[in-house]
Amino acid sequence: MRRDIEFKTEDGVTLRGWFYPAKDVKGPAPTVVMAHGFSAVKEMYLGDFAAFFAEQGIAVLVYDHRNCGASDGVPRGHLDPRAQIDGYRDAITHAQSMPEVDPERIGIWGSSYSGGHVLVVAAIDRRVKCVVSQVPLVGGLETARRLIRGDHWKGLRAAFAADRAARMRGEAGARMPVTAPEGEPSALPTADTYEFFTEFSRSNQTPWQNEVTLHSVELFTEYEPGIYVPRISPTPLLMIAALEDHLTPFDMTAAAYETALEPKKFLALPCAHFEAYTGDMFKMSAPVQRDWFKTHL
């Protein structure tokens, strides 16, 4: 039932995605806006969540961030969290203009990097009436410190500075892989990241590219969405964390959740980061997410 959609951001970049109409709903329906995490594209299991919600009477608008996937924008693979937050807000504005959408019943969904984005959007944009944040990034610097060896930080910060100087001279910014075999430099240096992206790319047709700007990594280390969590209330918050997650660590997510005010709900999944998207963990989590949206939208 889904159809392709596109819309422009406020600064004129075309974002593309899918719209899933709410099944068996007459008139404007509650609607969820969703996008993926760090460099990931909508083909990477977001359709499973969107179809599940739509089957239960919740319309879904899912799209690729600027500079990624089917969406326009350059440099390709440049992941600016503030621009992606603005993209969510533009997607909400577009959804509210659609005849199938009830503009007063908008929810947002994000996972991993975008799990952090939706925390920010829910805190600052009161058009949002409900939020689901799955295995979210809540603290960029602390997460990076856990992922990057301490003796590598001096060299990395020097690379950030050199990259800034090169861009100021009008040169193209440095780039690096999103993921790589163990021991090779990458933006997300965990074995399960490499397994997830490479296995998905081998098994599926996808526009995902294994490369981001070095500036994206610098912006990651400066991004602190967790500080917005206390400001989300009275918008209802469902936060989902994975107990074995070492990409967006469970303890950091749980600590951020404790700063949220009511109404809120926490779901702990017995898995690692990427297992939250599929299989038994999807079967455990998706109904809880659906019920949260149905209750509060």
Side-chain angles (χ1 to χ4, degrees):
M1 293 176 62
R2 82 182 186 201
R3 68 176 187 266
D4 293 342
I5 59 158
E6 64 178 49
F7 58 94
K8 285 192 179 294
T9 64
E10 199 167 344
D11 62 342
V13 176
T14 298
L15 305 185
R16 298 184 179 89
W18 303 319
F19 183 74
Y20 291 73
K23 185 177 180 180
D24 298 330
V25 174
K26 295 181 180 179
T31 301
V32 171
V33 172
M34 58 194 306
H36 220 315
F38 192 90
S39 87
V41 292
K42 61 187 182 300
E43 287 81 3
M44 293 172 168
Y45 305 112
L46 291 199
D48 294 343
F49 286 92
F52 183 81
F53 297 153
E55 190 72 19
Q56 302 297 316
I58 302 167
V60 181
L61 188 158
V62 53
Y63 69 97
D64 286 327
H65 294 295
R66 67 169 64 208
N67 311 333
C68 295
S71 292
D72 289 349
V74 290
R76 302 303 289 174
H78 180 57
L79 313 178
D80 181 335
R82 173 49 64 181
Q84 292 186 353
I85 287 165
D86 289 343
Y88 262 100
R89 303 183 78 181
D90 291 332
I92 292 168
T93 301
H94 177 71
Q96 288 182 315
S97 74
M98 300 174 69
E100 302 99 325
V101 172
D102 183 339
E104 299 302 319
R105 291 190 288 167
I106 298 289
I108 53 175
W109 183 101
S111 188
S112 197
Y113 208 39
S114 69
H117 300 345
V118 295
L119 299 175
V120 180
V121 175
I124 63 178
D125 195 326
R126 292 302 164 188
R127 296 176 299 171
V128 174
K129 299 304 189 290
C130 184
V131 56
V132 171
S133 176
Q134 176 177 278
V135 292
L137 175 79
V138 296
L141 181 59
E142 178 59 24
T143 300
R145 282 175 170 162
R146 297 193 190 193
L147 292 173
I148 300 168
R149 277 175 39 183
D151 58 335
H152 289 177
W153 271 95
K154 183 177 180 180
L156 182 61
R157 292 199 183 280
F160 290 161
D163 186 51
R164 283 187 171 273
R167 298 198 314 271
M168 184 67 76
R169 293 191 298 268
E171 301 170 16
R175 305 182 72 83
M176 71 185 309
V178 176
T179 186
E182 188 173 359
E184 297 181 16
S186 68
L188 302 178
T190 71
D192 58 341
T193 302
Y194 183 72
E195 180 181 355
F196 173 81
F197 281 112
T198 55
E199 181 58 36
F200 191 92
S201 297
R202 277 195 296 265
S203 307
N204 299 270
Q205 290 261 341
T206 172
W208 177 75
Q209 296 180 336
N210 187 21
E211 189 177 63
V212 294
T213 62
L214 182 61
H215 191 195
S216 301
V217 180
E218 182 179 20
L219 292 171
F220 180 107
T221 68
E222 298 169 355
Y223 184 36
E224 300 295 330
I227 65 175
Y228 286 86
V229 172
R231 309 177 200 176
I232 293 172
S233 179
T235 303
L237 166 66
L238 170 61
M239 193 176 284
I240 298 143
L243 286 161
E244 300 167 23
D245 197 333
H246 51 267
L247 188 60
T248 56
F250 177 87
D251 66 296
M252 293 177 63
T253 305
Y257 174 79
E258 290 302 316
T259 69
L261 306 178
E262 297 289 348
K264 63 179 181 176
K265 183 179 177 71
F266 189 82
L267 175 64
L269 298 177
C271 67
H273 185 85
F274 293 101
E275 293 171 319
Y277 295 97
T278 60
D280 289 343
M281 296 302 103
F282 175 86
K283 294 176 183 176
M284 181 184 298
S285 179
V288 177
Q289 299 181 29
R290 171 205 61 203
D291 292 346
W292 191 252
F293 283 131
K294 286 181 75 72
T295 297
H296 296 289
L297 294 182

